[in-house]
Amino acid sequence: IQVLAMNRSFSLVSGLAAVVLTSAAGAQTAPAAAPVADGGSRISAVTLYPGAATVVRELRVAPGANHAVFACLPAGLDAASLQAAGDGTVRIGEISVRQQPRALLGKACASPLDERIRTLQDQVAALKAESAGIDLATGYLKSFGTNGDPARATPPAQLAPTAAALRQTGQDGLVRQHQLTRQQEQIERELAPLLAERERTGGARAQVSVVQVTLAAPQGGPVRLSYQVRGPGWQPAYRAALDSATQKLQLTRLAQVAQSTGEDWSGVRITLSTGQPGAATQGPLPPPWRVGIEPPAPPMQARAMAAPAPAAMAQFKADAEAAPHFDVSVFQGAYATEFAVPQRVSVPSNGERITLVLGEQALDAQLLTRTTPALDTSAYLIARFSAPPGVWPAGPVSLVRDGAFVGNGHFDPASAQDEGLAFGRDELVTVRSERPEQQQGTGGFIGTRNQRTDERRYTVQNRHTSPIQLQVLDAAHVPDNDKVSVESTYQPQPTTTRWHDQVGTVAWEQPLAAGATQAFSARHVISWPKDERLQERR
């Protein structure tokens, strides 16, 4: 009877505790006030520029609606760029925008990071609870049979199996605890950057924009809102794969995309544009050119420029670190060209760079081996090709030769035909450079001029089993003063002394048979007035 009463009392206490906990949980989860909802707007399209993006959101309103609310938009959106549009049955009125803390908008405006962080934190808590249970069981095993109670003494016949069971149980518990520790460390490593990102973006304290559109929609329908945000960006990139046997080049057009606007772009249509909406829309106009007498210079202390306020400098540095950095100089001066990404793309709002494949081109290449012996006695494999049609902005390129990655370079379509792309060293071409001692003296009528002779000799050997197209580059002396004269002789005669129309750049280009060796030499005689000093610079 006593036991039954105790069980009933325990059940009653447990029931009351459950009621109290349920009431407390309800008090915590019930919102203090109904949050402002945006009606389920979604991002339907993004046009990405270097350093900015135009985002299009779509919201369907019910018949008879007189306004639409787009909440949880980035706080940094450009209010002047707001545009709203509907179909033929929806008429758009005025647009208003206000800033609010994210926390006031409830779960509908929760940060995309919150759910990920909460899930990982729950996993950590579960691992800690299991580890604590193992500690409790291990502590019990350690105290087994140590209290000296004769009634609990293990019979001699059961000592061996009991000891084996205790040992195995303890061993399993310690191994499992080690596994739990490793799992917890792994989850905490995944959790750390998410916490840092939420802290950087302000979390619940961060400001968001709420846009309200007044409208008339007697039949309902979709409403689209577009706005521009600063910070996102993209830059071109390429991957060039060369097949040296067939002399074919596979050129893949890539784009690196990143954004940290505070809203994830999940499964959206992205268009990449080379336009720059943040640039000046027109050039400067000439002001009047006024001339007069300069007043006396003020004291140096008055002329000193005031240093920026520390708070302003700190905010500037924080903004600079938050935005993804891209080299957008390659787009300056070019007409806007758009690249539509065929598939839907997801770009998280954490600054992570996403690489998109925009298309491929199969090109015919001309292979040659280039060397500049005066600077580097190595030979490099070069692929020259005609730039494919269309707009191909210059950008970084990853280079693959015969299936092996050889390094990174820079692809500029304007120079691809002449300079080509370099695909690493050609180890089967040996280059030797020899520079005899300079000869200096006087010459001219009665020794009125100084004279110096510079000579260089190069030897190139082809150790391939097939012929190669060889190109040897060298620099000649170019006088930039009428008092200096240069006489240059070459053996053999170079293909051009104005490679790429650069005066003073000499190029030999010729086939070189398998196993053959070719010598090249350049001799420059420099003369200048005896009383002058010769100035040399590159």
Side-chain angles (χ1 to χ4, degrees), residues 7-25:
N7 289 339
R8 288 179 177 177
S9 301
F10 178 77
S11 301
L12 178 61
V13 172
S14 301
L16 291 174
V19 172
V20 172
L21 292 176
T22 304
S23 302

Side-chain angles (χ1 to χ4, degrees), residues 252-272:
T252 303
R253 188 203 300 262
L254 307 172
Q256 293 180 341
V257 177
Q259 61 101 3
S260 56
T261 61
E263 56 180 359
D264 286 346
W265 300 343
S266 300
V268 301
R269 296 285 187 185
I270 289 186
T271 301
L272 307 177

Side-chain angles (χ1 to χ4, degrees), residues 415-494:
S415 60
Q417 178 62 37
D418 296 324
E419 294 186 10
L421 285 177
F423 284 85
R425 293 188 179 185
D426 188 341
E427 302 293 348
L428 294 179
V429 174
T430 303
V431 182
R432 292 191 298 272
S433 175
E434 178 185 355
R435 186 175 183 181
E437 292 185 4
Q438 295 181 351
Q439 301 177 7
Q440 188 162 339
T442 57
F445 181 72
I446 320 179
T448 59
R449 295 180 65 83
N450 290 318
Q451 183 173 290
R452 194 183 75 195
T453 301
D454 284 347
E455 187 174 359
R456 292 187 177 92
R457 302 170 187 168
Y458 313 123
T459 304
V460 182
Q461 181 184 12
N462 176 19
R463 296 189 290 115
H464 285 276
T465 58
S466 58
I468 63 171
Q469 185 71 12
L470 176 66
Q471 185 183 74
V472 179
L473 300 180
D474 195 22
H477 296 75
V478 179
D480 59 0
N481 190 292
D482 294 340
K483 298 180 181 180
V484 179
S485 64
V486 178
E487 294 182 5
S488 300
T489 56
Y490 304 96
Q491 185 63 36
Q493 192 64 23

Side-chain angles (χ1 to χ4, degrees), residues 294-307:
E294 183 178 357
M300 292 298 295
Q301 294 181 352
R303 295 172 60 189
M305 183 178 296

